[in-house]
PDB file of all heavy atoms in Angstrom:
ATOM      1  N   LEU A 167     237.769  79.759 277.679  1.00  0.00           N
ATOM      2  CA  LEU A 167     238.795  78.866 278.182  1.00  0.00           C
ATOM      3  C   LEU A 167     239.346  79.375 279.510  1.00  0.00           C
ATOM      4  O   LEU A 167     239.490  78.624 280.474  1.00  0.00           O
ATOM      5  CB  LEU A 167     239.932  78.759 277.164  1.00  0.00           C
ATOM      6  CG  LEU A 167     241.158  77.957 277.608  1.00  0.00           C
ATOM      7  CD1 LEU A 167     240.852  76.470 277.539  1.00  0.00           C
ATOM      8  CD2 LEU A 167     242.370  78.300 276.748  1.00  0.00           C
ATOM      9  N   HIS A 168     239.681  80.660 279.562  1.00  0.00           N
ATOM     10  CA  HIS A 168     240.286  81.249 280.756  1.00  0.00           C
ATOM     11  C   HIS A 168     239.229  81.845 281.676  1.00  0.00           C
ATOM     12  O   HIS A 168     239.243  81.621 282.889  1.00  0.00           O
ATOM     13  CB  HIS A 168     241.312  82.315 280.362  1.00  0.00           C
ATOM     14  CG  HIS A 168     242.439  81.786 279.529  1.00  0.00           C
ATOM     15  ND1 HIS A 168     243.443  80.994 280.049  1.00  0.00           N
ATOM     16  CD2 HIS A 168     242.716  81.914 278.204  1.00  0.00           C
ATOM     17  CE1 HIS A 168     244.294  80.667 279.090  1.00  0.00           C
ATOM     18  NE2 HIS A 168     243.870  81.215 277.963  1.00  0.00           N
ATOM     19  N   GLY A 169     238.336  82.622 281.114  1.00  0.00           N
ATOM     20  CA  GLY A 169     237.270  83.231 281.906  1.00  0.00           C
ATOM     21  C   GLY A 169     237.767  84.378 282.757  1.00  0.00           C
ATOM     22  O   GLY A 169     238.890  84.877 282.613  1.00  0.00           O
ATOM     23  N   GLY A 170     236.898  84.822 283.651  1.00  0.00           N
ATOM     24  CA  GLY A 170     237.274  85.912 284.541  1.00  0.00           C
ATOM     25  C   GLY A 170     237.359  87.262 283.872  1.00  0.00           C
ATOM     26  O   GLY A 170     237.819  88.228 284.485  1.00  0.00           O
ATOM     27  N   GLY A 171     236.955  87.343 282.605  1.00  0.00           N
ATOM     28  CA  GLY A 171     237.001  88.618 281.903  1.00  0.00           C
ATOM     29  C   GLY A 171     238.393  89.103 281.556  1.00  0.00           C
ATOM     30  O   GLY A 171     238.571  90.272 281.182  1.00  0.00           O
ATOM     31  N   VAL A 172     239.388  88.220 281.632  1.00  0.00           N
ATOM     32  CA  VAL A 172     240.763  88.661 281.361  1.00  0.00           C
ATOM     33  C   VAL A 172     240.997  88.899 279.873  1.00  0.00           C
ATOM     34  O   VAL A 172     241.901  89.652 279.502  1.00  0.00           O
ATOM     35  CB  VAL A 172     241.791  87.651 281.907  1.00  0.00           C
ATOM     36  CG1 VAL A 172     241.742  87.605 283.428  1.00  0.00           C
ATOM     37  CG2 VAL A 172     241.577  86.263 281.319  1.00  0.00           C
ATOM     38  N   LEU A 173     240.222  88.232 279.041  1.00  0.00           N
ATOM     39  CA  LEU A 173     240.278  88.438 277.594  1.00  0.00           C
ATOM     40  C   LEU A 173     238.850  88.546 277.081  1.00  0.00           C
ATOM     41  O   LEU A 173     237.931  87.937 277.650  1.00  0.00           O
ATOM     42  CB  LEU A 173     240.977  87.262 276.899  1.00  0.00           C
ATOM     43  CG  LEU A 173     242.478  87.094 277.143  1.00  0.00           C
ATOM     44  CD1 LEU A 173     242.959  85.757 276.596  1.00  0.00           C
ATOM     45  CD2 LEU A 173     243.263  88.236 276.519  1.00  0.00           C
ATOM     46  N   PRO A 174     238.633  89.297 276.006  1.00  0.00           N
ATOM     47  CA  PRO A 174     237.274  89.379 275.448  1.00  0.00           C
ATOM     48  C   PRO A 174     236.763  88.010 275.019  1.00  0.00           C
ATOM     49  O   PRO A 174     237.525  87.191 274.492  1.00  0.00           O
ATOM     50  CB  PRO A 174     237.445  90.303 274.236  1.00  0.00           C
ATOM     51  CG  PRO A 174     238.722  91.037 274.468  1.00  0.00           C
ATOM     52  CD  PRO A 174     239.600  90.126 275.255  1.00  0.00           C
ATOM     53  N   ARG A 175     235.494  87.769 275.255  1.00  0.00           N
ATOM     54  CA  ARG A 175     234.897  86.505 274.860  1.00  0.00           C
ATOM     55  C   ARG A 175     234.818  86.418 273.345  1.00  0.00           C
ATOM     56  O   ARG A 175     234.570  87.415 272.660  1.00  0.00           O
ATOM     57  CB  ARG A 175     233.497  86.381 275.462  1.00  0.00           C
ATOM     58  CG  ARG A 175     232.829  85.027 275.219  1.00  0.00           C
ATOM     59  CD  ARG A 175     231.580  84.899 276.046  1.00  0.00           C
ATOM     60  NE  ARG A 175     230.915  83.620 275.852  1.00  0.00           N
ATOM     61  CZ  ARG A 175     230.258  82.972 276.801  1.00  0.00           C
ATOM     62  NH1 ARG A 175     230.171  83.501 278.017  1.00  0.00           N
ATOM     63  NH2 ARG A 175     229.680  81.822 276.543  1.00  0.00           N
ATOM     64  N   LEU A 176     235.039  85.239 272.819  1.00  0.00           N
ATOM     65  CA  LEU A 176     234.914  85.017 271.384  1.00  0.00           C
ATOM     66  C   LEU A 176     233.521  85.391 270.896  1.00  0.00           C
ATOM     67  O   LEU A 176     232.530  85.067 271.559  1.00  0.00           O
ATOM     68  CB  LEU A 176     235.148  83.540 271.055  1.00  0.00           C
ATOM     69  CG  LEU A 176     236.567  83.031 270.862  1.00  0.00           C
ATOM     70  CD1 LEU A 176     236.558  81.513 270.915  1.00  0.00           C
ATOM     71  CD2 LEU A 176     237.136  83.507 269.529  1.00  0.00           C
ATOM     72  N   PRO A 177     233.425  86.038 269.754  1.00  0.00           N
ATOM     73  CA  PRO A 177     232.102  86.190 269.137  1.00  0.00           C
ATOM     74  C   PRO A 177     231.630  84.855 268.590  1.00  0.00           C
ATOM     75  O   PRO A 177     232.436  83.967 268.309  1.00  0.00           O
ATOM     76  CB  PRO A 177     232.363  87.196 268.007  1.00  0.00           C
ATOM     77  CG  PRO A 177     233.814  87.034 267.679  1.00  0.00           C
ATOM     78  CD  PRO A 177     234.502  86.645 268.951  1.00  0.00           C
ATOM     79  N   ASP A 178     230.332  84.684 268.444  1.00  0.00           N
ATOM     80  CA  ASP A 178     229.781  83.476 267.829  1.00  0.00           C
ATOM     81  C   ASP A 178     229.806  83.697 266.315  1.00  0.00           C
ATOM     82  O   ASP A 178     228.829  84.133 265.699  1.00  0.00           O
ATOM     83  CB  ASP A 178     228.358  83.214 268.329  1.00  0.00           C
ATOM     84  CG  ASP A 178     227.851  81.829 267.923  1.00  0.00           C
ATOM     85  OD1 ASP A 178     228.421  81.246 266.975  1.00  0.00           O
ATOM     86  OD2 ASP A 178     226.891  81.345 268.530  1.00  0.00           O
ATOM     87  N   ILE A 179     230.947  83.417 265.730  1.00  0.00           N
ATOM     88  CA  ILE A 179     231.190  83.766 264.333  1.00  0.00           C
ATOM     89  C   ILE A 179     230.225  83.041 263.399  1.00  0.00           C
ATOM     90  O   ILE A 179     229.678  83.639 262.461  1.00  0.00           O
ATOM     91  CB  ILE A 179     232.657  83.491 263.967  1.00  0.00           C
ATOM     92  CG1 ILE A 179     233.565  84.446 264.758  1.00  0.00           C
ATOM     93  CG2 ILE A 179     232.886  83.647 262.463  1.00  0.00           C
ATOM     94  CD1 ILE A 179     235.042  84.187 264.564  1.00  0.00           C
ATOM     95  N   ASP A 180     229.992  81.769 263.634  1.00  0.00           N
ATOM     96  CA  ASP A 180     229.079  81.036 262.753  1.00  0.00           C
ATOM     97  C   ASP A 180     227.672  81.622 262.799  1.00  0.00           C
ATOM     98  O   ASP A 180     227.010  81.767 261.760  1.00  0.00           O
ATOM     99  CB  ASP A 180     229.036  79.559 263.145  1.00  0.00           C
ATOM    100  CG  ASP A 180     230.268  78.798 262.674  1.00  0.00           C
ATOM    101  OD1 ASP A 180     230.874  79.228 261.677  1.00  0.00           O
ATOM    102  OD2 ASP A 180     230.609  77.782 263.290  1.00  0.00           O
ATOM    103  N   ALA A 181     227.206  81.960 263.998  1.00  0.00           N
ATOM    104  CA  ALA A 181     225.866  82.544 264.120  1.00  0.00           C
ATOM    105  C   ALA A 181     225.806  83.900 263.435  1.00  0.00           C
ATOM    106  O   ALA A 181     224.822  84.224 262.745  1.00  0.00           O
ATOM    107  CB  ALA A 181     225.481  82.681 265.591  1.00  0.00           C
ATOM    108  N   GLU A 182     226.858  84.703 263.598  1.00  0.00           N
ATOM    109  CA  GLU A 182     226.879  86.030 262.966  1.00  0.00           C
ATOM    110  C   GLU A 182     226.971  85.914 261.452  1.00  0.00           C
ATOM    111  O   GLU A 182     226.361  86.711 260.721  1.00  0.00           O
ATOM    112  CB  GLU A 182     228.034  86.862 263.528  1.00  0.00           C
ATOM    113  CG  GLU A 182     227.852  87.239 264.994  1.00  0.00           C
ATOM    114  CD  GLU A 182     228.938  88.167 265.489  1.00  0.00           C
ATOM    115  OE1 GLU A 182     229.486  88.936 264.663  1.00  0.00           O
ATOM    116  OE2 GLU A 182     229.258  88.124 266.683  1.00  0.00           O
TER     117      GLU A 182
END
Side-chain angles (χ1 to χ4, degrees):
L167 174 76
H168 300 287
V172 294
L173 291 170
R175 186 170 180 146
L176 275 165
D178 191 340
I179 294 175
D180 283 334
E182 292 185 29

